């Protein structure tokens, strides 16, 4: 994209090292780079715009703890293991879980960021831990379609997740998910 004689590029990459290299290459070649949503803090980008992902993770954990009365087994669905923003959310969840001695994190489960992969991991976790009380999800990939409705029973397992896109709101309305933390994603690219 070229606007008013300036150059702009959009790069999307889940590997932080590769992303940092791409950003640095662009900056070294005269292109100003700003990151949004997921930062590349070790790059030469001039700014980052997005949520405080560590705080978002803490909020996820506090919301889930309230839903399960501060006790029981939970799992973290972590999305892409190399995405900086998602790992900050996982870190926030884990740090805050330490404040709840009666909550046990049975594991952090990483998966490609697709509806099918997220649902497969959720299904595996639920089947392997029948007494699980909650899921802390750093992204709402499982709620991008209708498939999840045949996997879980509304309200049985408490779920908090990041994102509150229109397609996901039905999951709240029908009690499959109790909390969706929204982000202003539609304004980030402006």
């Amino acid at each position: 994209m070229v606007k008013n004689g300036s150059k702009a590029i959009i790069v999307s990459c889940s590997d932080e090292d590769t992303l940092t290299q791409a950003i640095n290459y662009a900056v070294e070649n005269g292109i100003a780079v700003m990151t949004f949503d997921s930062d590349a803090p070790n790059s030469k980008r001039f700014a980052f715009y997005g949520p405080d992902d560590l705080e978002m993770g803490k909020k996820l954990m506090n919301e889930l703890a309230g839903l399960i009365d501060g006790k029981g087994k939970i799992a973290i669905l972590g999305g892409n293991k190399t995405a900086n923003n998602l790992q900050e959310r996982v870190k926030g969840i884990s740090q805050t879980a330490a404040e709840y001695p009666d909550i046990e994190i049975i594991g952090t489960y990483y998966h490609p960021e697709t509806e099918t992969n997220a649902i497969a991991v959720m299904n595996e976790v639920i089947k392997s831990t029948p007494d699980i009380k909650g899921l802390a999800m750093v992204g709402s990939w499982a709620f991008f379609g209708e498939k999840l409705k045949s996997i879980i029973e509304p309200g049985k397992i408490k779920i908090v997740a990041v994102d509150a896109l229109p397609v996901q709101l039905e999951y709240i309305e029908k009690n499959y998910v109790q909390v969706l933390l929204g982000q202003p994603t539609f304004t980030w690219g402006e």
Side-chain angles (χ1 to χ4, degrees):
M1 169 185 8
V2 176
K3 184 176 181 181
N4 296 332
S6 66
K7 297 178 183 177
I9 59 170
I10 296 175
V11 176
S12 176
C13 181
S14 60
D15 176 29
E16 187 177 342
D17 290 334
T18 303
L19 181 60
T20 296
Q21 290 173 4
I23 291 169
N24 290 348
Y25 178 81
V27 171
E28 289 162 4
N29 285 281
I31 299 172
V33 177
M34 179 183 121
T35 59
F36 67 94
D37 184 27
S38 186
D39 196 10
N42 297 319
S43 73
K44 295 178 181 179
R45 54 95 171 124
F46 71 87
F48 165 68
Y49 181 73
D52 181 330
D53 290 299
L54 183 67
E55 287 302 314
M56 189 174 292
K58 291 176 181 181
K59 179 76 172 168
L60 281 169
M61 185 64 238
N62 284 324
E63 290 287 340
L64 184 56
L67 291 169
I68 63 171
D69 297 323
K71 59 182 178 266
K73 294 178 182 177
I74 68 165
I76 302 170
L77 271 69
N80 183 328
K81 192 173 186 172
T82 63
N84 185 54
N85 62 334
L86 303 180
Q87 294 321 299
E88 283 297 300
R89 294 174 195 174
V90 168
K91 183 177 172 184
I93 293 166
S94 298
Q95 285 178 355
T96 305
E99 299 171 14
Y100 299 97
D102 294 328
I103 291 179
E104 176 190 352
I105 297 176
I106 62 167
T108 300
Y109 301 87
Y110 299 101
H111 56 84
E113 298 169 28
T114 68
E115 177 190 17
T116 300
N117 286 303
I119 290 171
V121 169
M122 285 177 71
N123 197 28
E124 177 184 319
V125 169
I126 291 167
K127 283 183 178 181
S128 68
T129 312
D131 59 340
I132 193 165
K133 297 289 182 197
L135 297 171
M137 300 173 66
V138 301
S140 294
W141 306 283
F143 316 124
F144 282 131
E146 301 288 321
K147 297 174 188 172
L148 185 62
K149 293 175 186 172
S150 65
I151 305 292
I152 62 173
E153 180 183 325
K156 183 175 181 184
I157 297 171
K158 303 304 180 193
I159 300 174
V160 297
V162 175
D163 286 332
L165 302 173
V167 70
Q168 300 162 335
L169 298 181
E170 182 180 357
Y171 283 96
I172 285 277
E173 293 167 352
K174 296 189 175 176
N175 200 33
Y176 287 94
V177 178
Q178 288 67 48
V179 176
L180 290 175
L181 298 179
Q183 306 177 79
T185 54
F186 293 111
T187 62
W188 286 349
E190 291 182 6

